[in-house]
Amino acid sequence: MVIAGTAAPAADEFRTPAISAVRVDWRAALDQLRSEIDTRPAGVPAFTLTRRYRLPTSDPRSMPALLQLNAVTAPIFTGIGRSPVPVLLPFDTAAFLDARSNGAPASLSLSRYQADFRAADMFDAGPAGYSAVFSLEPGAGDGMPQRTFARPVEVQITGSILIYDIDDPFGGKGEPVKALSVQFPDLRRFIREGFVRYAFTRFGVPYVVSIQCLDSTPRARRLACREAYPVAERFLKALHVAGGLPMRPRTDLSAVISGRPAERSPDFTYRPSGDIIANSGLRKQGGRADLIAYSQIRFPLERPIAFVHSQEFRGRRSSDKPPDELAGAKTSYPWRDNFCEARSFSVGQCPGGFGHQGEDVRPAPCPANTEGAERCDPKQQPLVAVRDGVIIRAPKQQAVTLQVNTSTEHIRFRYMHMNPAALDADGVLNGRSVDEGEKIGVVSNYLDHPNGTSRHLHFDVQVFTRDGWIWVNPYVTLISAYERLIRGRGREIGPQVAAAPTVAHALPEDAASHSTTESGDN
């Protein structure tokens, strides 16, 4: 493994993430491909399969079968040959080739070769690995138990050459699945951060299959994790080598994050990471300091001025603070971390394992008397892509996830509270590529319905680990991005004893009170 990261920073400096790169056993992948193709003799002539490896496995010429395989599957999974790890998908390539060689029409449904999973909702491959989303319709799948949940079940899979090495007290846990122990000897099943996850290693590569669910009683509007188990296990049993290609490994994995501005901002101030409003954490616990800037991003609001503040708790004015430093004020500096505020969402990076998952960001109120082209509309304040990336979002979903897949990063950014109907109309959907700075929506107040929350953006960050995609604190990442936007370095204000917060509105009993299809926030 190649490991990159930085030493402890000096005072008032931020860290870059520590990332490891795995070494891929492509010989083992080719052997598995051979065994799969050999089950369908009619498909064998389509591939050049040999056990002789005369060239280094990092040289694509040593594996003509993979080049041929990518040529077959690329029309279905665009860009599959860009993955530097073997792409495992519930796609029976041998059966597909056999059917084509016997004259099967090209229009034949893909679900026939995908264990009844419909055509991929999203597939993205790049220098860090690949991710895909498949769905199983209600009632589909021979022998599947009847589900109470009445919607298609989305299954995600990611295989990555990069692993983020985070301080993770909940990492590496799980239970074996007896029915899959032969096919996946090291498979772990566990429920974490709103998903049931199946983590395993194949060809030296970490893969994670996950389904969003609630560890609760099955209901028609929410999927119980025990209903998700047979869907995930059907998916796992159907995995085959579908593509990918060896690439020369990177030896320098240092995240590209530029230094902070030398010139000080005259007014931008922020409280330290982990310094949440007093008693606003679960069981009145505090936050957790995280000085890592996980990526060099463009700030998600198109224009300054913006404020990172709690939208759930309001602070009371303290007699020893000036008016512009109200604890929890929503439209003034200083910023304040709210990543570990009390919520019922699992967040392994927070004390007690529960928290907010991200940060609430609020644009400044529109200035009075703005006219013409510079007129500010409080309901049309643009949100933009923080990096070049690919959108993960099905129609009607409330969250927009932007995935970045480069030779040094495998990271996701999630935006919430935009109106789903507007997002659908604008084509902000699975597989769409966007450029950094491109408008993807406007700051809004949607939470299950219009006016469901205050007008703000919930923004969060997930990085890929051996437990799959894990939420990490985006607070320092946002500070760093904002400083670049305003071209001025902020000033950290030390932690202070704050008055006990008042609750803006009642905390939800569970994640289902927010959304039946995806975890969320206020």
Side-chain angles (χ1 to χ4, degrees):
M1 300 184 77
V2 179
I3 303 176
T6 60
D12 198 31
E13 290 297 338
F14 301 148
R15 295 187 178 98
T16 55
I19 303 172
S20 301
V22 303
R23 283 185 166 79
V24 184
D25 186 351
W26 279 99
R27 289 184 173 88
L30 195 57
D31 286 342
Q32 179 168 325
L33 174 62
R34 179 185 297 104
S35 67
E36 292 171 0
I37 295 296
D38 284 349
T39 65
R40 300 273 183 168
V44 172
F47 289 86
T48 304
L49 292 168
T50 176
R51 292 186 182 278
R52 296 179 181 177
Y53 306 96
R54 297 179 179 177
L55 297 171
T57 55
S58 60
D59 190 325
R61 293 174 299 163
S62 66
M63 296 190 173
L66 290 173
L67 294 171
Q68 294 170 305
L69 176 63
N70 291 330
V72 169
T73 55
I76 304 169
F77 307 107
T78 303
I80 194 168
R82 293 195 294 263
S83 173
V85 303
V87 177
L88 294 178
L89 296 175
F91 181 75
D92 191 339
T93 310
F96 179 80
L97 288 170
D98 193 16
R100 291 294 182 269
S101 67
N102 287 304
S107 59
L108 202 63
S109 173
L110 282 177
S111 64
R112 177 187 180 95
Y113 311 107
Q114 295 183 168
D116 296 315
F117 289 90
R118 67 190 187 191
D121 299 318
M122 192 281 300
F123 178 81
D124 172 57
Y130 77 99
S131 290
V133 180
F134 290 81
S135 298
L136 190 69
E137 298 283 353
D142 293 339
M144 290 288 291
Q146 186 65 35
R147 298 195 315 265
T148 302
F149 185 65
R151 300 179 186 177
V153 176
E154 286 189 352
V155 186
Q156 294 192 25
I157 183 170
T158 296
S160 183
I161 203 168
L162 300 181
I163 304 169
Y164 284 73
D165 301 311
I166 62 175
D167 181 12
D168 188 0
F170 297 97
K173 300 180 180 179
E175 61 182 6
V177 181
K178 185 176 181 181
L180 298 174
S181 60
V182 173
Q183 188 176 356
F184 303 99
D186 69 339
L187 183 71
R188 296 180 290 122
R189 181 177 67 192
F190 52 98
I191 297 171
R192 182 165 185 191
E193 298 192 350
F195 291 80
V196 59
R197 304 171 186 235
Y198 293 73
F200 63 96
T201 303
R202 180 67 58 85
F203 323 122
V205 177
Y207 296 86
V208 179
V209 170
S210 60
I211 299 177
Q212 189 165 25
C213 60
L214 291 172
D215 194 9
S216 62
T217 303
R219 296 184 186 179
R221 290 179 58 83
R222 67 185 191 188
L223 181 70
C225 289
R226 71 186 190 195
E227 290 183 299
Y229 293 168
V231 178
E233 289 164 24
R234 182 184 188 87
F235 187 93
L236 284 156
K237 290 175 183 177
L239 290 179
H240 297 277
V241 177
L245 200 64
M247 297 181 187
R248 297 190 184 279
R250 286 287 298 261
T251 57
D252 177 15
L253 294 176
S254 298
V256 181
I257 299 176
S258 63
R260 302 171 68 186
E263 185 175 347
R264 290 280 182 177
S265 166
D267 52 3
F268 174 41
T269 56
Y270 59 90
R271 297 195 186 281
S273 173
D275 180 26
I276 64 176
I277 294 175
N279 301 322
S280 65
L282 182 71
R283 293 187 290 274
K284 299 186 179 181
Q285 296 181 88
R288 177 179 179 272
D290 186 347
L291 295 180
I292 297 175
Y294 286 93
S295 179
Q296 180 159 311
I297 63 172
R298 198 257 186 235
F299 194 69
L301 273 66
E302 184 179 62
R303 292 178 294 227
I305 298 172
F307 307 99
V308 173
H309 282 300
S310 170
Q311 299 299 301
E312 185 78 21
F313 295 89
R314 289 184 294 108
R316 294 173 178 168
R317 186 187 297 265
S318 175
S319 59
D320 62 350
K321 294 194 182 101
D324 64 342
E325 292 192 8
L326 302 181
K330 294 182 180 180
T331 53
S332 69
Y333 296 134
W335 283 13
R336 194 159 200 169
D337 190 356
N338 51 92
F339 179 70
C340 287
E341 279 187 348
R343 299 291 194 282
S344 59
F345 310 129
S346 300
V347 183
Q349 295 289 294
C350 290
F354 290 85
H356 183 197
Q357 295 180 334
E359 300 285 352
D360 288 339
V361 186
R362 194 180 183 101
C366 285
N369 303 319
T370 53
E371 300 294 342
E374 297 301 317
R375 181 178 179 274
C376 175
D377 184 341
K379 296 183 178 180
Q380 295 295 323
Q381 300 198 56
L383 295 172
V384 299
V386 296
R387 289 284 302 277
D388 297 350
V390 173
I391 297 294
I392 303 175
R393 178 182 174 271
K396 299 182 181 181
Q397 284 187 339
Q398 299 184 56
V400 176
T401 298
L402 177 64
Q403 177 165 281
V404 175
N405 183 339
T406 73
S407 60
T408 57
E409 292 184 280
H410 212 179
I411 191 167
R412 290 177 173 178
F413 306 96
R414 189 176 66 160
Y415 303 66
M416 292 197 69
H417 302 317
M418 293 179 283
N419 190 302
L423 293 169
D424 291 349
D426 291 339
V428 184
L429 295 166
N430 275 321
R432 174 175 163 180
S433 295
V434 294
D435 297 327
E436 181 177 317
E438 181 179 340
K439 180 181 174 182
I440 58 174
V442 297
V443 180
S444 191
N445 57 7
Y446 194 96
L447 182 61
D448 291 333
H449 54 80
N451 302 313
T453 184
S454 60
R455 190 173 299 278
H456 71 282
L457 166 69
H458 170 93
F459 182 83
D460 57 48
V461 174
Q462 298 171 68
V463 296
F464 189 77
T465 74
R466 289 189 181 275
D467 277 10
W469 294 97
I470 298 299
W471 272 280
V472 291
N473 191 343
Y475 186 61
V476 164
T477 306
L478 286 169
I479 291 172
S480 178
Y482 192 67
E483 289 179 333
R484 288 189 294 274
L485 181 66
I486 64 175
R487 299 179 182 177
R489 183 169 177 148
R491 178 170 58 90
E492 183 179 291
I493 295 176
Q496 301 180 24
V497 178
T502 58
V503 180
H505 49 278
L507 290 175
E509 292 182 1
D510 58 38
S513 64
H514 288 286
S515 172
T516 57
T517 59
E518 56 198 317
S519 56
D521 88 305
N522 272 326

